[in-house]
Amino acid sequence: MKWKELEEEPCSMARTIGVIGDRWTLLILRECFLRTRRFEGFQSALGITRHLLAERLKKLVRQGILRRIPYQESPKRHEYILTQKGLDLYPIMMAIVHWGDTHMVDERGRPLLHQHRKCGKDFDPVMVCSECGEPLSAKGVHTHPGPGARSAPAAAAPTTSKTKARSRAA
Amino acid sequence: MKWKELEEEPCSMARTIGVIGDRWTLLILRECFLRTRRFEGFQSALGITRHLLAERLKKLVRQGILRRIPYQESPKRHEYILTQKGLDLYPIMMAIVHWGDTHMVDERGRPLLHQHRKCGKDFDPVMVCSECGEPLSAKGVHTHPGPGARSAPAAAAPTTSKTKARSRAA
DNA sequence: ATTGACAGTTCTATTTTAGAACTATATGTT
DNA sequence: AACATATAGTTCTAAAATAGAACTGTCAAT
């Protein structure tokens, strides 16, 4: 599969994965949320090759996740700042961190704690239903096709090639 | 960087990314949550090469995210089922889908809707503070080092190589 | 005049992934 | 008996992505 295609699939997850679903992009975004803004900052924090870093930053800017803003003239220098679209990735980041905190920590415990400014306490992120406020779990949720679904509710139109992907929505 | 190292970094995000942070793994997990269980099911739903699929499934089993369970003898056949550790990835999946629903849908709208069995309504996932129940945003949260932090709060011990990554915790 | 900071670009070597074909075991069909 | 089908892989080569290092260009400071 070419990863370009991913962004056009009728699946919100596939599309999102097409944009942020690789290791370096995710790590770059971590740095963004930790307030790194400059090329050298990302490079030295991550040990990513300069080539790939330049490439990924361009992609994130193209996708509207980062904005490239000049912070000095002569020589021209820019900072990379999260847009609102980028800031909206926060729940994904928190969910990833929380899973790691739950399943991947060693004896030493969590590397980083999160304090909610509003209530002042160290917290865990909890995902709840927007309608009733109750916590969500895989088993408590039923998925069904929405207006953007590609195929009829039941069976997807079979494709000709046997190795081609079936159409699958999410 | 070798991706093996990632799993040993003092950062819950890096460790998690080391396990699930690549395109195919994420898409395989999507299928798991959509109740795909068998090799051929994953293969035809995703169009992934059989080679990579076998490789990724092995890794997910090794990581305790999937369990390989026999469903028939002669010839021996197995299904791949999410463990609790795997089911705990649900908030990550939902967060990814929700971001896509918000920022990546076309005119047609969302491909898939989610209904909360408990309250019966179609919902969006909302990430809230475990302590006060208020919604979370990047700006409303302050991070600080926890017991597993590698370095002193301020500066990390500098590594020898200039291209080596600085230690960074999350 | 030289050094250093910053933000890249360019190059080759290595690793990963794509794509297709092949293996193996058992069942069902002609 | 011979052949096709289903399932779950493995093996192979070609193409693409990434690693690692060196290089470019602009300006400030020494």
Side-chain angles (χ1 to χ4, degrees):
Chain A
M1 191 196 290
K2 291 133 200 164
W3 293 114
K4 279 285 173 188
E5 294 171 29
L6 212 48
E7 286 166 46
E8 283 139 40
E9 275 206 26
C11 166
S12 291
M13 219 184 126
R15 288 175 190 166
T16 304
I17 290 170
V19 178
I20 62 155
D22 76 285
R23 278 140 145 81
W24 282 127
T25 300
L26 252 7
L27 289 171
I28 288 167
L29 287 168
R30 175 192 76 178
E31 287 307 308
C32 291
F33 280 101
L34 290 171
R35 316 225 194 296
T36 300
R37 295 158 135 73
R38 300 182 185 179
F39 193 93
E40 292 293 321
F42 290 109
Q43 204 283 318
S44 68
L46 296 174
I48 185 176
T49 66
R50 310 176 74 76
H51 177 68
L52 268 199
L53 176 58
E55 213 263 322
R56 291 292 197 275
L57 287 173
K58 253 180 217 155
K59 180 169 182 188
L60 287 168
V61 169
R62 229 175 25 242
Q63 290 288 345
I65 289 170
L66 297 179
R67 206 191 322 275
R68 190 157 169 275
I69 297 177
Y71 69 89
Q72 70 170 40
E73 297 292 320
S74 79
K76 276 224 171 210
R77 294 280 182 263
H78 300 84
E79 294 189 311
Y80 296 90
I81 312 281
L82 286 165
T83 60
Q84 187 57 51
K85 185 173 174 181
L87 287 167
D88 286 351
L89 291 167
Y90 191 66
I92 299 179
M93 301 292 134
M94 283 304 280
I96 292 174
V97 171
H98 183 237
W99 189 86
D101 281 343
T102 307
H103 293 287
M104 303 289 292
V105 293
D106 53 34
E107 340 70 52
R108 306 168 48 98
R110 303 185 179 191
L112 208 64
L113 300 176
H114 301 268
Q115 185 185 21
H116 193 201
R117 289 192 205 282
K118 200 154 181 180
C119 72
K121 293 184 186 146
D122 286 342
F123 70 96
D124 285 324
V126 178
M127 189 158 273
V128 302
C129 170
S130 59
E131 304 307 305
C132 72
E134 289 291 307
L136 296 169
S137 69
K139 288 176 181 168
V141 172
H142 171 71
T143 58
H144 58 107
R150 186 70 92 243
S151 50
T159 48
T160 42
S161 164
K162 70 172 179 183
T163 21
K164 268 284 174 55
R166 254 191 291 130
S167 194
R168 196 68 171 271
Chain B
M1 188 197 289
K2 291 135 201 163
W3 292 114
K4 278 286 176 188
E5 295 171 26
L6 212 49
E7 286 166 47
E8 283 140 39
E9 275 206 26
C11 166
S12 292
M13 221 186 124
R15 288 175 190 168
T16 303
I17 290 171
V19 178
I20 63 155
D22 76 285
R23 278 140 145 82
W24 283 128
T25 300
L26 252 8
L27 289 171
I28 288 167
L29 287 168
R30 174 191 77 176
E31 288 306 308
C32 290
F33 280 101
L34 290 171
R35 319 227 192 294
T36 299
R37 295 159 135 75
R38 300 183 185 178
F39 192 92
E40 293 293 321
F42 290 110
Q43 204 283 318
S44 68
L46 296 173
I48 184 176
T49 65
R50 310 176 73 77
H51 177 69
L52 268 198
L53 175 58
E55 213 262 322
R56 292 292 197 276
L57 287 174
K58 254 179 215 155
K59 180 170 183 188
L60 287 168
V61 169
R62 231 175 23 243
Q63 289 289 345
I65 289 170
L66 297 179
R67 206 192 322 273
R68 191 159 169 275
I69 297 178
Y71 69 90
Q72 69 170 43
E73 296 293 319
S74 80
K76 275 225 171 211
R77 292 282 182 259
H78 301 82
E79 294 189 311
Y80 297 89
I81 311 280
L82 286 164
T83 61
Q84 187 56 51
K85 185 172 175 181
L87 286 167
D88 286 351
L89 291 166
Y90 191 66
I92 299 179
M93 302 291 134
M94 283 304 281
I96 291 174
V97 170
H98 183 238
W99 189 87
D101 280 343
T102 308
H103 294 287
M104 302 291 290
V105 292
D106 54 33
E107 340 70 53
R108 307 167 48 98
R110 302 184 179 190
L112 210 64
L113 300 175
H114 300 267
Q115 185 185 20
H116 192 202
R117 290 193 203 280
K118 202 154 182 180
C119 72
K121 292 184 187 148
D122 286 343
F123 70 95
D124 285 325
V126 177
M127 190 158 271
V128 302
C129 169
S130 59
E131 305 307 305
C132 71
E134 289 291 307
L136 297 169
S137 71
K139 289 177 180 168
V141 172
H142 170 71
T143 57
H144 57 106
R150 186 70 93 243
S151 51
T159 47
T160 41
S161 164
K162 69 171 177 183
T163 21
K164 267 286 175 52
R166 255 195 288 128
S167 194
R168 196 67 172 274

